[in-house]
Amino acid sequence: MRDMLIVGAGKIGTVIADLLASSGDYAVTVADRDPAAVERVGAELARVQACVLDVGDADALAAELEGRWAVIDAGPFDIGMRIAAAAVAQRVHYLNLTEDVASTRRVRELANGAHSALIPQCGLAPGFISIVAHDLAARFDTLLDVRMRVGALPKYPSNGLKYNLTWSTDGLINEYLNPCEAIVDGVRREMPALEELEHFSLDGDDYEAFNTSGGLGTLCDTLDGRVRNLNYRTVRYRGHRDVMKLLLHDLRLGERRALLKDILESAIPVTMQDVVLVFVTVSGRREGLLMQETFARKLYAGEVNGRLRSAIQLTTASAVCAVLDLLAAGRLPQAGFVRQEDVDFCDFVTNRFGRHFLTDSEEVRCAASGVLAGPPAGV
């Protein structure tokens, strides 16, 4: 039993705890500063310990980390550095889900000389999307374009935003406001969020996609000098982007994030009836031919251990649990900074947690390479 601490008892942290505890291989404690959230976790998950913790209390945080094998940071992006620094001091492995580019850069600095592994951006996007893109890119002799698109959407949009809250409101606002990394015509650039709007259809549904921050993870560093164009855009139903620009820029709510968060959480319901869309297209040359390969997937809500979990909960929690499992199995570096693209695609999708993303064709390909799949965890 590996002793785990999960910081954050929200929508994602609770599902991570459920998956890990039910595997039988992890002793899980969930910590949160909100006593009501801690009480909910304790009541819902019998195999999980729960405690109240303010990560701003350095001594209390160090005491909770002492003797642990790893910590998963599932809290707001602005507390991540405190947890990461404490984890390094205690020689505890550190994983997080953040889309925040500045935080990830600081984690990378902390990882220099660390005796434990620091693995940021372990969710869906950033996270799994980088594993997919890197796997596709590796199949080409020369890369041209890598385009990554992800959307977490309600199945039944019914408001002006055509959106329901499915994950962290802080993270959503952060993605819509911060600069977006990209490579354009071979040059690294920062692009404005909510721009470069595009429209497309998939399976009869109409979508739009636009720049948001953080989804590329560390791929700009990894593919710099090797790719002509690299970009990430968030997928929404048509019309969402214009309403968000009105709120964030015309009404200047982007300058009042706390107020915007309160408005969104008071007016936009949470839904468990959602769909996650993952769409990656890579083009380049292989054996002298101009080629293109695409990864497209729609993932839906489902039951885990008898409880309905939303698609974004399942995909995000499964992703970080799979990376954690691979770390425990020695399939990832045990110290220093670990990128998502250091994770082998077949290792990931054939892992008991990552298998939620697997298709029959990928199972055949991965089996041929000697990697075999077991049943999905928690199902």
Side-chain angles (χ1 to χ4, degrees), residues 278-294:
V278 180
F279 193 72
V280 183
T281 301
V282 178
S283 64
R285 293 192 175 276
R286 185 167 61 221
E287 297 177 353
L289 296 176
L290 180 62
M291 303 284 291
Q292 176 177 297
E293 291 209 28
T294 298

Side-chain angles (χ1 to χ4, degrees), residues 2-288:
R2 296 180 184 269
D3 199 351
M4 289 292 312
L5 179 67
I6 299 170
V7 178
K11 301 181 187 77
I12 307 300
T14 302
V15 181
I16 295 170
D18 193 8
L19 287 172
L20 292 179
S22 63
S23 74
D25 294 324
Y26 299 94
V28 179
T29 299
V30 176
D32 198 289
R33 68 178 180 180
D34 181 3
V38 170
E39 186 175 348
R40 282 195 301 271
V41 171
E44 180 179 332
L45 303 178
R47 288 168 288 199
V48 172
Q49 300 294 314
C51 68
V52 176
L53 173 67
D54 181 357
V55 300
D57 184 335
D59 291 338
L61 177 58
E64 278 299 330
L65 286 173
E66 187 176 0
R68 308 271 188 193
W69 175 72
V71 56
I72 294 177
D73 172 10
F77 69 91
D78 56 354
I79 68 171
M81 285 309 299
R82 299 173 186 170
I83 304 169
V88 170
Q90 295 287 337
R91 301 192 175 193
V92 172
H93 298 307
Y94 171 82
L95 298 84
N96 73 25
L97 307 169
T98 189
E99 79 296 325
D100 190 64
V101 175
S103 296
T104 300
R105 288 172 179 163
R106 291 196 291 272
V107 169
R108 191 169 203 157
E109 293 169 0
L110 273 177
N112 291 328
H115 296 278
S116 56
L118 281 76
I119 317 179
Q121 304 180 314
C122 293
L124 173 66
F128 176 67
I129 191 76
S130 295
I131 298 170
V132 171
H134 191 254
D135 179 68
L136 290 179
R139 304 177 194 179
F140 290 84
D141 300 323
T142 303
L143 280 177
L144 292 176
D145 303 320
V146 178
R147 297 184 171 93
M148 303 152 65
R149 310 288 184 262
V150 174
L153 304 164
K155 286 180 66 177
Y156 310 109
S158 58
N159 55 49
L161 277 175
K162 299 179 182 178
Y163 187 72
N164 289 83
L165 296 177
T166 57
W167 65 294
S168 163
T169 310
D170 290 304
L172 179 73
I173 295 169
N174 201 39
E175 286 188 348
Y176 283 4
L177 287 173
N178 289 354
C180 312
E181 293 182 307
I183 296 176
V184 181
D185 294 330
V187 179
R188 290 186 65 162
R189 296 178 59 184
E190 284 195 342
M191 312 296 287
L194 300 182
E195 298 301 331
E196 297 193 284
L197 183 68
E198 63 187 30
H199 296 100
F200 67 97
S201 296
L202 183 66
D203 297 336
D205 294 318
D206 293 328
Y207 301 102
E208 65 185 22
F210 47 85
N211 293 343
T212 54
S213 179
L216 285 180
T218 54
L219 277 178
C220 268
D221 294 328
T222 302
L223 297 181
D224 192 14
R226 296 173 51 200
V227 67
R228 180 178 64 184
N229 294 298
L230 168 67
N231 56 57
Y232 172 87
R233 290 172 190 159
T234 286
V235 177
R236 296 287 184 256
Y237 294 115
R238 289 194 182 193
H240 175 89
R241 192 285 303 254
D242 289 344
V243 179
M244 290 309 304
K245 285 192 76 174
L246 170 68
L247 293 173
L248 292 169
H249 300 309
D250 296 347
L251 299 182
R252 298 175 63 181
L253 289 176
E255 300 170 17
R256 306 172 71 185
R257 294 193 184 199
L259 175 60
L260 178 60
K261 178 181 178 180
D262 183 60
I263 291 172
L264 291 176
E265 292 186 345
S266 299
I268 306 298
V270 172
T271 184
M272 303 298 287
Q273 297 172 298
D274 64 336
V275 55
V276 165
L277 172 64
V278 180
F279 193 72
V280 183
T281 301
V282 178
S283 64
R285 293 192 175 276
R286 185 167 61 221
E287 297 177 353

